[in-house]
Amino acid sequence: MSDRYAVLGNPVAHSRSPDIHAAFARQTGQDIEYGRLLCPLDGFEAAVREFAAGGGRGCNVTLPFKFEVPRLAARCSDRARLAGAANTLRFDAAGWFADNTDGIGLVRDIEHGAGVPLAGRRVLLVGAGGAGAGVLGPLLAARPAEVVVANRTLDKAHALVSRHVSWAREHGVRLAASALERPGDAFDVVVNASASSLQGLSSPVPPEVLGAGALAVDLMYGAAAAPFLAWARAAGATARDGLGMLVEQAAESFHIWRGVRPLTAPVLLALCASLAAAP
Ligand code: NAP
């Protein structure tokens, strides 16, 4: 029987993770089966325990349960501990292991997918929810000159920044929190990790945040990302959606479970083509 994995969330029907992991499994010759599991909003822990008891080997966790994952695990990676949230569980017999692969997925997509090294750059991170929390630590570890975290609820940006102060100092990065209205001008990289695109908005921050030739990344993808991407292009930036990050974070989870690292570029190409062909 194939080893079983799944993505757990609510909603989860839209998730492309099963297609991505099926492609990784074909490419690497791993015998796995990967499905979607819709969890009741008040029933995540019961659902994940039932999946593990039924023979599951590990899972991904998506909205809105990522903050519930660390307390279920016997061991957390440093990046999951720093984020206070995790998107990957491996059901080890000795105790579950939790990790957060979102941030390393974003960093790989920016540096290798978009070809923009982060070292020495000025970065604006918009959003301090689950995604913002997951990506901040790995962004800092890439040693940009500065990261400003801007959030609609300013207190949450401050809280996220204060959790990362020592990590930022260790990596020589200036780190600050800001409201959305005036986070600063002319950043080299702007990451929209807020849910604004889900609500049909173009951008939660003013166009002055984009420096000449800036890279603007929306973690959203598909039609919902189009207004942000159009806003970024109109301001002269290079625009990128969240599909590259989605494939990269999945590859890191696959590596955690299977010990092999799949090639991401062909899987991203196939995913883009299938989304473009979708009605
Ligand atoms: P979340 O935990 O619900 O957080 C939502 C964040 O968006 C909060 O910071 C919230 O601000 C902010 N926000 C909501 N509406 C806003 C608006 N109208 N204007 C400005 N800010 C607004 O959600 P999440 O897990 O962080 O997910 C955020 C986005 O990232 C989603 O679109 C998700 O699909 C995407 N994502 C993509 C990937 C990928 O692999 N590509 C991975 C993870 C997440 P407040 O604090 O003020 O509420």
Side-chain angles (χ1 to χ4, degrees):
M1 200 170 87
S2 309
D3 290 342
R4 290 177 59 217
Y5 298 87
V7 54
L8 279 68
N10 186 337
V12 78
H14 65 285
S15 173
R16 307 305 300 231
S17 293
D19 310 320
I20 296 171
H21 284 283
F24 288 163
R26 279 194 301 276
Q27 186 200 106
T28 58
Q30 294 284 311
D31 184 13
I32 73 160
E33 182 187 302
Y34 186 113
R36 296 180 184 86
L37 210 56
L38 178 69
C39 306
L41 288 173
D42 59 354
F44 168 69
E45 181 173 349
V48 72
R49 289 198 186 285
E50 190 181 330
F51 179 64
R57 300 287 298 270
C59 66
N60 283 131
V61 179
T62 186
L63 238 98
F65 303 120
K66 288 180 186 179
F67 289 104
E68 292 191 42
V69 180
R71 71 180 171 79
L72 299 180
R75 284 185 310 126
C76 282
S77 66
D78 289 344
R79 56 198 182 195
R81 202 172 307 111
L82 198 55
N87 70 342
T88 304
L89 272 170
R90 192 181 60 211
F91 305 137
D92 295 345
W96 294 1
F97 170 69
D99 202 349
N100 193 321
T101 66
D102 280 341
I104 193 67
L106 175 67
V107 168
R108 286 201 184 122
D109 184 55
I110 290 174
E111 297 203 317
H112 304 300
V116 175
L118 284 161
R121 305 287 173 115
R122 294 182 61 238
V123 177
L124 173 63
L125 173 63
V126 184
V135 303
L136 182 55
L139 275 177
L140 294 168
R143 298 182 183 275
E146 177 183 13
V147 175
V148 174
V149 178
N151 195 49
R152 185 175 62 177
T153 308
L154 182 57
D155 284 356
K156 283 213 241 165
H158 278 299
L160 185 58
V161 161
S162 58
R163 274 217 314 278
H164 287 75
V165 164
S166 338
W167 186 251
R169 198 175 301 128
E170 211 175 294
H171 291 88
V173 188
R174 288 191 305 278
L175 177 62
S178 163
L180 292 177
E181 293 72 26
R182 291 198 57 81
D185 291 347
F187 289 90
D188 302 306
V189 177
V190 173
V191 174
N192 184 19
S194 84
S196 61
S197 293
L198 270 177
Q199 298 157 19
L201 303 172
S202 59
S203 167
V205 285
E208 295 73 37
V209 300
L210 294 168
L215 174 70
V217 184
D218 194 349
L219 299 202
M220 184 50 72
Y221 49 84
F228 178 88
L229 301 183
W231 167 85
R233 286 185 190 116
T238 300
R240 193 166 178 87
D241 70 13
L243 270 184
M245 168 182 168
L246 184 73
V247 174
E248 292 294 344
Q249 62 78 29
E252 186 73 8
S253 295
F254 192 87
H255 180 253
I256 289 164
W257 294 325
R258 310 302 299 180
V260 286
R261 195 173 285 287
L263 294 175
T264 50
V267 177
L268 178 57
L269 266 180
L271 191 59
C272 290
S274 92
L275 276 178

